[in-house]
């Protein structure tokens, strides 16, 4: 009889323990902390347009209090940063991010990038000055011969069918200066200058061996072009 009571008691204990264990509530899963995405709300700059070196003030939220490894990119190029706070960042436009039609700015915090903020006030790139094509040098010789004919027509007997020593006296990139010298019974100098453009007009001065101006005039480009 006693044994039966002991068995019943033991079974009762097991039943109670199983009930208690089975009713123990599960451990709650902790709620993950939401990611604080950086967000740009506005960008300001003091100049009239954006160019390399322009300082941008980037306003927004969730930038973090310290720069650390966080970055600002402009058209994919990492920009230099001079100030960083959770709601404002100051960065300089890198030269390699331009020229472009727009500037796409993003702030990356702890590896998480913001949406790109687009700016369109880009300074117009300066138009490069085209390099003029100099005329063939034999065209200058033609201008010399035409000047000699014009001088003869004005009564100045400049030697014609003789050997002239040609010297380049040009000093600038925008104009040319040639001097022709003849050493014969008397010395003659023909001085020709013209701008470096596709169809220049020639300014001609003829000097005697004493430095006196014997003839001055113009030879126009169209006069040097042979008739077809």
């Amino acid at each position: 009889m006693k044994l039966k009571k002991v068995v019943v008691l033991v079974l009762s204990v097991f039943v109670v323990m199983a009930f208690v264990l089975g009713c123990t509530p599960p451990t709650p899963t902790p709620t993950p902390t939401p990611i604080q995405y950086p967000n740009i709300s506005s960008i300001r700059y003091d100049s009239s347009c954006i160019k390399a070196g322009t300082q941008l003030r980037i306003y927004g939220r969730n930038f973090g209090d310290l720069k650390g490894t966080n970055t600002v990119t402009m058209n994919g190029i990492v920009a230099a940063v001079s100030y960083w706070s959770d709601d404002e960042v100051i960065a300089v436009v890198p030269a390699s991010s331009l020229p472009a039609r727009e500037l796409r700015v993003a702030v990356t915090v702890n590896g998480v990038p913001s949406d790109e903020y687009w700016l369109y006030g880009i300074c117009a790139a300066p138009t490069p000055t085209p390099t003029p094509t100099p005329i063939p040098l034999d065209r200058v010789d033609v201008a010399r011969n035409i000047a000699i004919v014009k001088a003869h027509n004005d009564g100045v007997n400049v030697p014609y069918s003789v050997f002239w020593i040609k010297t380049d006296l040009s000093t600038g990139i925008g104009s040319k200066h040639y001097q022709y010298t003849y050493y014969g019974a008397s010395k003659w100098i023909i001085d020709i200058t013209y701008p470096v453009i596709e169809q220049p007009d020639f300014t001609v001065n003829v000097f005697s061996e004493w430095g006196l101006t014997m003839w001055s005039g113009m030879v126009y480009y169209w006069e040097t072009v042979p008739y077809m």
Side-chain angles (χ1 to χ4, degrees):
M1 191 67 178
K2 290 182 178 180
L3 178 60
K4 185 176 181 181
K5 291 181 178 180
V6 171
V7 171
V8 172
L9 180 61
V10 171
L11 290 174
S12 298
V13 171
F14 276 109
V15 170
V16 172
M17 291 179 63
F19 177 79
V20 172
L21 293 174
C23 294
T24 302
T27 303
T29 303
T31 302
T33 303
I35 299 175
Q36 300 294 316
Y37 291 96
N39 178 267
I40 301 174
S41 59
S42 63
I43 297 178
R44 298 178 184 175
Y45 48 93
D46 296 332
S47 55
S48 59
C49 60
I50 300 170
K51 60 184 178 181
T54 298
Q55 182 174 269
L56 302 183
R57 291 183 175 271
I58 305 168
Y59 298 97
R61 64 179 184 274
N62 301 327
F63 296 155
D65 294 327
L66 299 174
K67 179 182 182 302
T69 58
N70 303 330
T71 59
V72 174
T73 56
M74 301 181 190
N75 287 349
I77 307 299
V78 176
V81 173
S82 60
Y83 176 79
W84 193 288
S85 70
D86 190 58
D87 58 4
E88 180 183 359
V89 173
I90 299 177
V92 177
V93 177
S96 54
S97 66
L98 298 174
R101 296 181 60 183
E102 69 282 323
L103 191 67
R104 296 173 282 107
V105 182
V107 177
T108 299
V109 178
N110 296 326
V112 180
S114 68
D115 290 335
E116 290 182 332
Y117 193 101
W118 289 39
L119 296 172
Y120 292 96
I122 310 299
C123 298
T127 303
T129 302
T131 302
T133 303
I135 63 170
L137 292 181
D138 59 357
R139 190 63 55 82
V140 186
D141 297 339
V142 173
R144 177 205 63 195
N145 293 338
I146 293 174
I148 292 175
V149 172
K150 288 186 174 185
H152 273 262
N153 292 338
D154 290 338
V156 181
N157 295 320
V158 183
Y160 188 81
S161 299
V162 296
F163 176 74
W164 292 90
I165 298 174
K166 185 177 183 179
T167 306
D168 186 351
L169 301 179
S170 306
T171 57
I173 60 174
S175 63
K176 299 295 288 183
H177 180 189
Y178 287 97
Q179 190 173 88
Y180 294 84
T181 305
Y182 167 67
Y183 296 95
S186 60
K187 177 182 175 183
W188 290 85
I189 297 175
I190 301 177
D191 202 71
I192 299 179
T193 59
Y194 61 93
V196 181
I197 56 178
E198 291 185 2
Q199 298 183 6
D201 294 327
F202 306 88
T203 301
V204 183
N205 290 286
V206 179
F207 302 101
S208 70
E209 61 181 323
W210 300 284
L212 299 176
T213 302
M214 304 301 293
W215 184 87
S216 293
M218 296 292 297
V219 174
Y220 299 100
Y221 178 81
W222 61 265
E223 296 180 282
T224 67
V225 178
Y227 292 106
M228 299 302 292

